[in-house]
Amino acid sequence: MNWQTLIFGNLSWSVLPENAIAWFGALTVIAGVLAVVGVVTYLGRWQWLWDEWFTSLDPKKIGVMYIVVALVMLVRGGSDALLMRAQQATSVGDSYGILTSTHFQEIFSAHGSIMIFFLAMGFMFGLINLIVPLQIGSRDVAFPFLNSLSFWLFFAGAALINCSLIFGDFSTAGWLAYPPLSELRYSPTSGVDYWIWSLQIGGLGSLLSGVNFFATIVKMRTKGMNWMRLPMFSWTVLGSMTLVIFAFPILTVTLALLYLDRTAGMHFFTAELGGNMMMYVNLIWAWGHPEVYILILPAFGVFSEVVPVFSGKKLAGYTSMVFSVWAIVVLSFIVWLHHFFTMGAGADVNAFFGIMTAVIAVPTGVKIFNWLFTMYRGRIRFESPMLWFMGFVVLFTLGGVAGVVMAEPPADYQLHNSLFLVAHFHTMIVSGVLFGYFAGLTFWFPKIFGFKMNEKWGIRAFWFWLIGFILAFGPLYLLGFEGATRRLDHYSSSLGWQPLFIVAGIGAISIAIGFSCQVAQLVATFRDYKRNRVGNDPWDGRTLEWSVASPAPSYNFAALPIVHSRDEFWEEKHGASTQEQKFEDFSMPKNTGAAVIVSSFVFLLGFGAVWHIWWLVIAALLGATIAVLVHVFNEDSEYAVSGAQLAHREAGLQYPTSL
Amino acid sequence: MTDEFDRSGILSVDEKSKDSTIVFGFWMYLMTDLVLFASLFVVFVVLRGPEYGGASIKNTFDLQYVFIETIALLVSSFTCGLALLFAREGNVRGTVSWLLATFVLGAAFVAMEVSEFSRLLAQGLAPARDGFLSGYFTLVGTHGAHVTVGLLWLLAMVVAIAGRGLSRGNMRKLALFAMFWHFLDVIWIFIFTIVYLMGVL
Ligand code: HEM
Ligand SMILES: [Cu+2]
């Protein structure tokens, strides 16, 4: 080993991008970072960012930061998607499109990984942070510092995955990196290691959040909020966090073993010397199937709040809604094999997993019927959260039916890894998960900022997304039936697929316009915030979060509410329940930059591990450990709030006039 | 969203419920660790097939040696329990002494494991040799790494308790440490049974 590898590991000049499009990606990232740094410096806002945001332990602020990062990642993943659509629309016959095969493979691998881990998971934890403590009548989460650490680990993972745009390449092995392709022999560059370490770091953040919010909902509910009074969003989050707790450690192990194979020459998943690659596929899906339900359950929760509010009725079938959440939680652990019926586990095994998979449609159907019953004879207001629901309920049901089709092993032998599958899961994740989170963001935005989002742009965004979605993914169902497999970077013109791929490309452009409308919506929202200012309860809400001021104060509740019924706030408004305000002293956690410091070290650790810079790995590990210890043994981490002082303030509470 | 308050003084309102939340959260963390070990056990069992050295390793495990290791860890769990008992009585000296005893036993366990590993390596039985050995070293090594982290935590506790006494925060951390340490004991019993006993018998 010469001195150069000792210091720089595998890094060298040759790791910089190789072609024009890759350079464009790299320069965009660099320009983006420089622009943000420049603007913040120009405005002199670093101190403010640090004091008010980065070091904040207020879950509402952490939630906003999660959502900001998630939306940036949506831009990244969306650019990947547009490139893929451009390639597939043009790379036919004698024309080879705009991307090389390798680059195309890197792009679809990055697209899937980023969308799941850094868009969907980030958006989900963002919404959970914003609303769960408010909804259960709590001032905070169970472990405020851990919450900040989760966010910053998530951020470190997101930063690491985007480093691959500049230094080196990314994995070409797909978003789940099946071996033996992902093993060192077939993927000798550091691309797979970027995949491993950014997911490992982001996944660790998710795991910690899972523990945190599980404990929060179990232990921090306010007085009187027994289980059957818990709002539906919080129920679904509890289910989702249960899945996180049981599924994410499997991912941690799987990624670690793959790294050991690649770096220490071990034989967990290799094709020789006793390795077992099908074990990898089992492990990754034992995490991966629960993962898709981790994402969808909170979206179900959002709609279970949105539909009653915009229908002016209470949620139909609350009890069956709760049971169906738990049915889904349990079932989602015994269906993973439906992702590889074609592995050849035998008819009996396939039959078992096929039936279990089809059975999941039952609790899901229960939910859909309950939402529809809630709307039945309601006075429905079609504001944008409700529009997202309307789009969701139709498309999601169709996507679910497509899932049940593939749950039959004989059918799946035809459809597996075809574009039909791709259409299925995008229907579930885009028109299910993402529409749900958009609805949630629009719905709860006023509670966090004190003003509503611009409705006009919101409606435009919805229609572009909806039509774009149908155009982009409808053709994929048809192409799947015609035998088009996933991840093609080129096909023969005699197949006649090109027109459908062009339609799909147009759909992708429409989605991009929809997203631009959302950017315009945000700009308009903040520009006109004075005009859009609202009070506590802009939508005629039903649950506790609507009982406090908008924006909600950092301590959420000056006096902790006591719950007497399921829709406590609704009952109060209609005189069926009253709160007596009892102001008590309490303590709040002090801001701390410890999570930022720990996560910076973890980022360096990941970077070192990707490039085999071992001194950096050791130094970063040491740094992170010391930073954690210093924080943990610091007993001066809280400050006191006086109840009397608060009572005084609350009496004359004004809505803040500036941001 | 910013509110300024008098930030002086620490109130110890609802410290009790805070304790119970922390213990609950730590239980949940241990559940995640349990799933982590369960996955490693599954991997180990899947890769244990005899074709790639599984049969030959049979003769290389020294059950007696591992048994002594096991005793060291089990006794350290006992001494850790004693430290907790003394802490509850407010006896700083007793607490610190039993914690140090725990440290010595835990360190002995780690040392024995390391020397076991180096003996195997010297015989050419390295983790990169085949799937079985990869599974063996990773499962047992992950447990060993947990014990090592536990030892560091333990040292930090000793320093903190010697310095600040048995404050509420230190008591809390001590209780969590004890849970962690007993948990590692339980995992080890599974390792002893599944890896060593079933491997040798
Ligand atoms: C009615 C409920 C559902 C059923 C019956 C179902 C069924 C299936 C089946 C059988 C497959 C495997 C097909 C194959 O690989 O050949 C599959 C794949 C997939 N499903 Fe679903 N699914 C359902 C709901 C969902 C939901 C709610 C989501 C996400 C939120 C989702 C996301 C996915 C993903 C991401 C994949 C595969 C990804 C890949 O192979 O890369 N599914 N689904
Ligand atoms: Cu699945």
Side-chain angles (χ1 to χ4, degrees):
Chain A
M1 195 184 272
N2 61 9
W3 66 269
Q4 214 169 346
T5 29
L6 214 57
I7 298 177
F8 295 112
N10 294 339
L11 267 182
S12 70
W13 288 115
S14 65
V15 305
L16 292 176
E18 278 170 359
N19 61 46
I21 293 183
W23 266 114
F24 182 74
L27 293 178
T28 312
V29 173
I30 296 172
V33 172
L34 288 180
V36 171
V37 171
V39 168
V40 175
T41 311
Y42 177 73
L43 296 175
R45 286 289 192 138
W46 282 113
Q47 192 66 35
W48 171 80
L49 267 183
W50 179 260
D51 292 343
E52 295 294 325
W53 292 90
F54 294 174
T55 60
S56 173
L57 299 190
D58 179 350
K60 295 180 290 301
K61 292 192 174 176
I62 292 177
V64 170
M65 291 194 288
Y66 261 118
I67 292 175
V68 169
V69 176
L71 291 180
V72 173
M73 290 299 112
L74 175 58
V75 175
R76 162 78 211 270
S79 317
D80 290 340
L82 288 173
L83 283 171
M84 287 188 288
R85 280 280 138 265
Q87 173 75 8
Q88 290 190 321
T90 54
S91 176
V92 50
D94 294 333
S95 153
Y96 284 84
I98 54 170
L99 302 170
T100 64
S101 317
T102 313
H103 197 192
F104 183 76
Q105 288 159 8
E106 284 177 58
I107 288 179
F108 69 63
S109 305
H111 167 77
S113 315
I114 286 177
M115 288 300 206
I116 293 282
F117 281 88
F118 299 111
L119 161 70
M121 289 299 274
F123 209 152
M124 174 186 87
F125 280 119
L127 287 177
I128 292 175
N129 265 290
L130 295 186
I131 285 311
V132 164
L134 279 165
Q135 207 169 46
I136 63 174
S138 168
R139 293 202 171 98
D140 210 333
V141 298
F143 309 109
F145 167 69
L146 206 61
N147 196 26
S148 163
L149 185 60
S150 288
F151 167 74
W152 285 104
L153 287 175
F154 162 79
F155 183 79
L160 187 62
I161 205 169
N162 284 296
C163 272
S164 71
L165 280 175
I166 305 169
F167 307 106
D169 51 7
F170 193 67
S171 166
T172 54
W175 78 283
L176 288 179
Y178 279 12
L181 179 57
S182 55
E183 291 283 357
L184 196 62
R185 173 176 300 183
Y186 304 104
S187 295
T189 64
S190 57
V192 175
D193 301 311
Y194 267 123
W195 180 82
I196 291 175
W197 281 96
S198 47
L199 268 57
Q200 193 69 293
I201 294 170
L204 184 62
S206 302
L207 185 57
L208 297 177
S209 271
V211 170
N212 205 346
F213 281 96
F214 190 90
T216 302
I217 296 176
V218 172
K219 298 297 273 189
M220 314 270 286
R221 281 165 296 131
T222 189
K223 213 176 276 168
M225 182 170 283
N226 59 34
W227 286 115
M228 280 301 155
R229 290 180 189 156
L230 185 65
M232 231 18 244
F233 179 68
S234 295
W235 263 122
T236 57
V237 171
L238 191 67
S240 169
M241 296 302 107
T242 309
L243 289 172
V244 168
I245 288 171
F246 286 100
F248 267 79
I250 310 179
L251 178 71
T252 308
V253 167
T254 313
L255 295 172
L257 299 187
L258 183 61
Y259 187 70
L260 286 174
D261 269 7
R262 291 175 55 81
T263 309
M266 295 200 193
H267 293 285
F268 289 105
F269 311 123
T270 56
E272 71 267 325
L273 292 173
N276 186 336
M277 41 198 156
M278 285 321 295
M279 182 168 69
Y280 180 93
V281 178
N282 270 285
L283 286 170
I284 201 82
W285 283 114
W287 159 79
H289 186 82
E291 165 67 13
V292 304
Y293 279 91
I294 288 167
L295 295 176
I296 198 69
L297 281 172
F300 288 170
V302 169
F303 288 130
S304 302
E305 304 292 343
V306 163
V307 174
V309 166
F310 289 90
S311 304
K313 283 175 63 191
K314 73 177 204 292
L315 182 68
Y318 175 90
T319 314
S320 64
M321 287 301 231
V322 174
F323 278 101
S324 61
V325 168
W326 291 96
I328 289 174
V329 167
V330 172
L331 284 171
S332 52
F333 271 107
I334 47 175
V335 299
W336 78 90
L337 192 131
H338 65 214
H339 294 277
F340 46 96
F341 283 137
T342 51
M343 171 173 129
D348 294 342
V349 173
N350 279 0
F352 171 81
F353 282 95
I355 291 168
M356 284 306 145
T357 304
V359 167
I360 283 210
V362 176
T364 314
V366 166
K367 293 193 156 302
I368 290 179
F369 281 116
N370 277 330
W371 292 316
L372 297 181
F373 286 141
T374 307
M375 290 168 67
Y376 179 63
R377 299 194 135 178
R379 206 172 296 126
I380 303 172
R381 287 174 285 148
F382 285 104
E383 294 183 61
S384 56
M386 198 61 190
L387 289 180
W388 291 115
F389 171 76
M390 299 303 290
F392 156 86
V393 77
V394 175
L395 292 173
F396 186 81
T397 308
L398 290 173
V401 171
V404 176
V405 170
M406 288 185 297
E408 318 306 326
D412 190 57
Y413 268 68
Q414 292 305 313
L415 296 169
H416 181 54
N417 275 354
S418 71
L419 288 183
F420 186 87
L421 161 76
V422 173
H424 155 70
F425 72 73
H426 280 88
T427 313
M428 304 318 252
I429 294 179
V430 178
S431 63
V433 174
L434 212 50
F435 282 18
Y437 295 174
F438 287 153
L441 181 63
T442 322
F443 184 54
W444 282 309
F445 187 93
K447 182 50 59 190
I448 304 306
F449 289 98
F451 42 91
K452 274 193 192 183
M453 292 181 89
N454 181 299
E455 180 71 0
K456 204 160 40 164
W457 282 108
I459 290 175
R460 286 177 194 154
F462 166 75
W463 285 109
F464 276 109
W465 269 93
L466 183 79
I467 293 168
F469 180 84
I470 294 169
L471 288 178
F473 293 97
L476 299 201
Y477 283 109
L478 303 177
L479 283 165
F481 279 136
E482 288 178 22
T485 52
R486 71 196 298 188
R487 297 170 179 167
L488 288 177
D489 62 291
H490 185 75
Y491 49 91
S492 156
S493 55
S494 65
L495 291 163
W497 292 344
Q498 196 179 21
L500 284 173
F501 273 120
I502 291 176
V503 175
I506 295 171
I509 292 171
S510 167
I511 291 179
I513 298 174
F515 181 74
S516 313
C517 292
Q518 285 170 310
V519 174
Q521 180 187 23
L522 281 175
V523 171
T525 301
F526 283 95
R527 188 194 54 205
D528 306 335
Y529 75 92
K530 283 196 179 127
R531 192 153 18 103
N532 297 329
R533 185 164 296 135
V534 292
N536 291 6
D537 183 23
W539 313 106
D540 199 9
R542 313 180 70 85
T543 38
L544 285 179
E545 68 267 32
W546 305 111
S547 68
V548 303
S550 309
S554 61
Y555 46 82
N556 288 358
F557 299 92
L560 287 180
I562 298 174
V563 173
H564 311 89
S565 65
R566 197 169 283 158
D567 288 341
E568 174 66 21
F569 183 56
W570 179 267
E571 303 297 337
E572 282 168 26
K573 283 192 288 190
H574 294 81
S577 174
T578 45
Q579 288 289 341
E580 51 187 276
Q581 302 251 305
K582 198 157 145 255
F583 294 96
E584 284 168 339
D585 297 348
F586 57 90
S587 59
M588 293 288 287
K590 283 186 184 165
N591 285 3
T592 164
V596 183
I597 296 168
V598 174
S599 303
S600 310
F601 281 122
V602 173
F603 170 84
L604 291 176
L605 188 153
F607 191 80
V610 168
W611 290 105
H612 297 189
I613 309 173
W614 302 120
W615 65 264
L616 184 62
V617 172
I618 294 168
L621 194 61
L622 218 66
T625 313
I626 292 172
V628 167
L629 283 178
V630 168
H631 174 78
V632 168
F633 283 92
N634 166 20
E635 295 199 347
D636 175 33
S637 60
E638 296 186 333
Y639 67 96
V641 179
S642 123
Q645 209 175 326
L646 261 191
H648 187 70
R649 275 176 59 99
E650 284 280 306
L653 193 67
Q654 296 285 319
Y655 302 122
T657 47
S658 75
L659 268 180
Chain B
M1 280 193 284
T2 60
D3 293 273
E4 262 316 312
F5 290 105
D6 169 22
R7 301 199 174 204
S8 61
I10 305 294
L11 274 180
S12 61
V13 277
D14 48 52
E15 283 289 325
K16 253 244 165 62
S17 84
K18 210 171 269 176
D19 279 355
S20 107
T21 304
I22 289 178
V23 169
F24 180 81
F26 199 72
W27 267 110
M28 295 320 297
Y29 153 71
L30 289 182
M31 294 301 294
T32 67
D33 227 8
L34 191 67
V35 178
L36 185 131
F37 276 109
S39 314
L40 287 173
F41 273 110
V42 168
V43 167
F44 175 79
V45 169
V46 167
L47 296 182
R48 185 164 56 183
E51 309 93 293
Y52 296 95
S56 68
I57 194 100
K58 211 169 203 173
N59 322 320
T60 66
F61 283 148
D62 180 353
L63 210 51
Q64 217 168 351
Y65 184 86
V66 182
F67 189 68
I68 299 174
E69 242 185 300
T70 308
I71 296 295
L73 197 64
L74 289 184
V75 174
S76 83
S77 230
F78 180 68
T79 54
C80 170
L82 286 179
L84 198 59
L85 281 183
F86 275 92
R88 296 233 163 96
E89 285 177 3
N91 182 336
V92 173
R93 286 234 356 237
T95 312
V96 169
S97 330
W98 284 115
L99 280 181
L100 287 176
T102 311
F103 181 85
V104 170
L105 287 164
F109 170 87
V110 172
M112 285 185 79
E113 187 164 276
V114 168
S115 91
E116 164 96 345
F117 278 8
S118 45
R119 189 172 60 82
L120 290 176
L121 292 179
Q123 292 172 20
L125 299 175
R129 204 183 92 152
D130 60 42
F132 165 75
L133 285 166
S134 305
Y136 166 78
F137 276 98
T138 307
L139 170 60
V140 178
T142 304
H143 176 270
H146 273 72
V147 176
T148 312
V149 170
L151 290 175
L152 287 179
W153 184 356
L154 207 165
L155 278 189
M157 292 286 332
V158 169
V159 173
I161 291 177
R164 246 181 270 168
L166 294 160
S167 68
R168 180 136 209 156
N170 282 343
M171 284 301 287
R172 208 180 259 165
K173 282 170 201 121
L174 194 60
L176 299 188
F177 171 76
M179 282 163 66
F180 183 64
W181 202 249
H182 295 321
F183 167 79
L184 292 181
D185 235 18
V186 174
I187 297 291
W188 179 258
I189 289 170
F190 278 101
I191 293 184
F192 183 67
T193 316
I194 294 178
V195 176
Y196 291 103
L197 274 183
M198 287 166 67
V200 171
L201 298 180

